[in-house]
Amino acid sequence: MRPALEGLKSAVEGGLPGVTLQLEGSVLMVEAKDVPRVCRFLKDTPAYEMDYLANLTAIDYPPDTLEVVYHLCSMRQKHGPVALRVKLPRANPVIASVTPIWRGAEFQEREVYDLFGVIFEGHPDLRRILMWEGFKGHPMRKDYVPEDQDAPDERA
Amino acid sequence: MTEPLLDTQLLEVNLGPQHPSTHGVFRMQALLDGETIVKLKPVMGYLHRNHEQLGEGMTYIASFPFTDRLDYFCAMTNNLGLALAIEQLAGGIEVPERAQYIRVIMSELTRLVNHTAVIGFLLNDMGAFGTPLLYAFREREKILDLFEMASGSRMMCNYIRPGGVREDVPEGFLERASRIVAEYPRFLDEFEALLTQNEIIRQRAQHVGVLSKELAINASITGPMLRASGVDYDIRKVDGYGIYPRFAFRIPLGTVGDVYDRYYVRILEMRESVAILQQALKEIPPGPSISPKGLQLVKSPRTFRPPKGAEAYGRIESPKGELGFFLASDGSPQPYRYHVRAPSFINLTVLEDLCLGHKVADVIIILGSIDIVMGEVDR
């Protein structure tokens, strides 16, 4: 069961003055600066109790935008998922980490950092997780050019 | 406090990456005080092949064989997760009754395969070399034969499709499956007689790697590991996808959240799977195994162009936890974004919390009780 998004939108806007959400299809667009407040509100409000961050990922929309996507659920009330999206400037994608709110974000934010290059401020241990240390670039960005496997090895 | 007689220092040790108890190529950097774990950092990515980027370079249907290789113990449920996400993205594709039943049968057989194998491995990690694992693999092999009958492959099944399944099960499949399912409780009894009350297992597993309810929820833990900590959350019940609401089954819960509970919850889940299978095998109706719309999608994958901006998050209760597929479309025949929410990757988040203060030997069984498959962790 998914909670009604209009109701959720007005509850968030009513509870947090100065925050506005945009409803686009089945997605709630949140402004980057509001993310920690909105997340904490959704987690702590008894009507929603979004205690479970099911999924966190990103989408690359070159040339200008990168979006971070959150899917939130409530384990206690057994509803969800609700999708939140945040637009970030592609040249400088910085957003507050939600790891202090949900530990479950720890590895998922590291993965998004690794593959998309999004910086999560306040993350306890933001390192690459799937690619190796010293790897250059972010392979899930649309303009990433994979290394030519057949090219002669320059080190040889 | 007295001064120690000898100078001691912390020792950094690498467990893995190539080690039989790490269940694949997985490394743990551990900081030890004597035998006790002070710090532990998992290192992964050795099997990373950017599954998601591959998926974005091909049609939706073409990803199915690749999903087999995520959690290579559970190809059928991986296929089902992607099929549900595609059905959702298409705005609903009808699935014929018979296909719904086949999906449930395959999913629950997969759960039996996975839980049987993981308990075998766990016992191996505890030092019961070989014997329990071979018992487990003997039973697993019977079910893999069934998968081979239906799909042509033991493990890389590539069988479930949006709108149904690739083809109907062959003649004799249902009878053979019924026989195997009917015999399964006997195997479980035998297995349990050897293990559940076993003094050594209790000594090794009880109160080791305790995961509290609060941390389990907060850290997005799912699957048997979550339920062993006493949280009643099973997506088969919560979302009721497919035809699961038709079957009577219970959700076994643990009380302590230790390695022993994680072992025992899996045993109980297998008994519930057997109950679901018995109902499904009895009630399965004749009929088509894929709907016309699904067949069209499978036959000509490039005609499937979801509208620009459409997105879907399909999730199922895989044997390891919540397996989610996130798809976003830009109106082309290929997904603009294809993301896999892998349960065993996220379940590893709490590995360090579970291991702190325990001995090195406990790390091995804690890792075993999380149930990871590197194909899915690294993607």
Side-chain angles (χ1 to χ4, degrees):
Chain A
M1 187 200 61
R2 295 179 186 224
L5 290 177
E6 287 83 8
L8 200 141
K9 177 177 180 305
S10 51
V12 171
E13 287 171 349
L16 298 171
V19 173
T20 39
L21 307 181
Q22 302 286 328
L23 187 57
E24 284 181 17
S26 58
V27 183
L28 281 171
M29 303 296 298
V30 186
E31 280 184 44
K33 63 175 173 44
D34 298 331
V35 165
R37 280 173 75 204
V38 171
C39 288
R40 205 166 277 287
F41 179 84
L42 288 174
K43 190 186 173 200
D44 295 341
T45 309
Y48 295 107
E49 259 189 314
M50 300 288 191
D51 51 9
Y52 167 43
L53 175 75
N55 182 41
L56 190 163
T57 187
I59 313 182
D60 185 20
Y61 291 106
D64 302 319
T65 335
L66 241 170
E67 291 188 6
V68 178
V69 188
Y70 304 83
H71 285 93
L72 308 181
C73 297
S74 172
M75 278 196 184
R76 279 200 190 83
Q77 304 190 8
K78 302 203 168 38
H79 61 222
V82 169
L84 303 183
R85 273 208 205 186
V86 183
K87 278 195 165 65
L88 298 175
R90 196 164 179 269
N92 181 28
V94 181
I95 189 169
S97 166
V98 294
T99 307
I101 306 174
W102 296 289
R103 259 298 291 288
E106 187 182 334
F107 281 14
Q108 305 190 62
E109 286 184 341
R110 274 179 71 185
E111 184 188 320
V112 171
Y113 162 72
D114 188 356
L115 303 182
F116 288 90
V118 176
I119 311 287
F120 292 92
E121 277 181 336
H123 189 286
D125 184 23
L126 197 63
R127 288 179 294 131
R128 288 189 181 271
I129 190 164
L130 294 174
M131 308 305 287
W132 55 95
E133 272 175 55
F135 180 83
K136 296 265 189 309
H138 302 290
M140 281 305 287
R141 287 202 177 195
K142 291 285 176 187
D143 55 6
Y144 176 79
V145 182
E147 176 188 329
D148 185 357
Q149 298 285 334
D150 299 327
D153 192 343
E154 282 168 20
R155 288 165 300 180
Chain B
M1 205 179 132
T2 52
E3 282 284 302
L5 281 170
L6 298 170
D7 279 342
T8 60
Q9 61 180 15
L10 298 179
L11 181 69
E12 198 181 320
V13 173
N14 271 309
L15 301 160
Q18 267 107 3
H19 192 270
S21 70
T22 54
H23 298 242
V25 195
F26 177 69
R27 180 153 70 105
M28 290 173 281
Q29 283 178 304
L31 194 63
L32 306 179
D33 178 7
E35 274 279 305
T36 311
I37 306 286
V38 185
K39 204 172 169 187
L40 185 132
K41 293 286 170 209
V43 182
M44 54 196 93
Y46 295 93
L47 214 61
H48 180 59
R49 63 268 187 209
N50 219 336
H51 176 79
E52 297 179 2
Q53 198 183 53
L54 292 173
E56 287 169 16
M58 59 183 73
T59 59
Y60 291 87
I61 303 299
S63 278
F64 275 95
F66 290 89
T67 62
D68 290 340
R69 286 140 180 93
L70 284 169
D71 174 356
Y72 39 77
F73 276 87
C74 309
M76 290 285 190
T77 46
N78 296 343
N79 294 167
L80 179 61
L82 181 56
L84 289 186
I86 293 176
E87 285 164 13
Q88 200 182 322
L89 190 68
I93 296 177
E94 189 212 343
V95 182
E97 275 289 285
R98 187 173 175 84
Q100 292 278 26
Y101 275 91
I102 295 176
R103 283 179 173 192
V104 167
I105 292 169
M106 294 306 181
S107 302
E108 295 310 317
L109 286 173
T110 303
R111 207 175 308 279
L112 290 180
V113 166
N114 182 74
H115 287 1
T116 308
V118 75
I119 290 172
F121 285 130
L122 179 63
L123 267 294
N124 222 19
D125 292 344
M126 284 187 197
F129 286 118
T131 313
L133 185 64
L134 287 177
Y135 274 49
F137 268 43
R138 182 191 65 198
E139 297 307 310
R140 169 176 175 261
E141 205 60 36
K142 292 177 189 165
I143 297 175
L144 295 187
D145 284 346
L146 280 175
F147 288 166
E148 187 174 10
M149 236 177 132
S151 73
S153 176
R154 289 162 69 247
M155 289 171 78
M156 304 293 122
C157 301
N158 183 17
Y159 182 65
I160 294 171
R161 290 286 181 273
V165 295
R166 202 175 69 207
E167 54 199 318
D168 203 349
V169 292
E171 212 173 301
F173 175 90
L174 295 173
E175 293 73 24
R176 193 161 162 190
S178 304
R179 253 198 330 274
I180 290 170
V181 169
E183 287 164 9
Y184 222 80
R186 245 184 68 202
F187 156 70
L188 288 177
D189 291 342
E190 182 193 22
F191 213 41
E192 268 209 78
L194 293 170
L195 306 176
T196 301
Q197 297 299 330
N198 186 310
E199 188 60 30
I200 303 170
I201 290 173
R202 296 192 144 221
Q203 293 272 344
R204 282 299 308 276
Q206 282 184 327
H207 305 289
V208 168
V210 176
L211 176 64
S212 74
K213 213 171 173 172
E214 291 70 32
L215 181 61
I217 296 176
N218 196 251
S220 302
I221 305 302
T222 46
M225 198 175 162
L226 174 74
R227 293 188 286 275
S229 294
V231 183
D232 178 11
Y233 193 81
D234 187 315
I235 296 166
R236 288 175 294 173
K237 290 274 191 201
V238 174
D239 282 8
Y241 60 89
I243 52 166
Y244 273 107
R246 284 187 209 170
F247 301 108
F249 64 102
R250 289 167 300 178
I251 306 297
L253 299 178
T255 47
V256 185
D258 54 7
V259 172
Y260 187 80
D261 275 2
R262 292 197 273 280
Y263 151 76
Y264 197 51
V265 160
R266 290 197 174 96
I267 290 272
L268 296 176
E269 271 189 17
M270 282 198 273
R271 295 195 184 272
E272 297 303 319
S273 290
V274 167
I276 297 174
L277 279 164
Q278 281 167 340
Q279 297 168 59
L281 286 164
K282 206 170 81 191
E283 293 162 11
I284 181 168
S289 58
I290 190 163
S291 64
K293 199 173 166 193
L295 194 64
Q296 197 238 334
L297 205 160
V298 173
K299 288 258 158 92
S300 44
R302 297 200 73 83
T303 59
F304 178 58
R305 291 159 187 260
K308 191 171 193 287
E311 65 163 59
Y313 179 68
R315 56 179 197 160
I316 61 159
E317 184 71 34
S318 94
K320 293 182 169 59
E322 171 173 339
L323 176 67
F325 285 87
F326 175 70
L327 299 170
S329 166
D330 63 346
S332 75
Q334 296 162 355
Y336 186 75
R337 179 78 178 101
Y338 167 82
H339 171 69
V340 184
R341 188 257 188 234
S344 47
F345 172 65
I346 294 169
N347 286 357
L348 277 175
T349 308
V350 293
L351 179 65
E352 185 181 18
D353 304 62
L354 299 187
C355 291
L356 290 183
H358 287 297
K359 308 285 183 215
V360 177
D362 295 332
V363 172
I364 306 299
I365 64 168
I366 290 170
L367 182 71
S369 74
I370 293 178
D371 183 11
I372 58 168
V373 161
M374 294 319 287
E376 183 179 81
V377 174
D378 291 344
R379 281 159 294 149

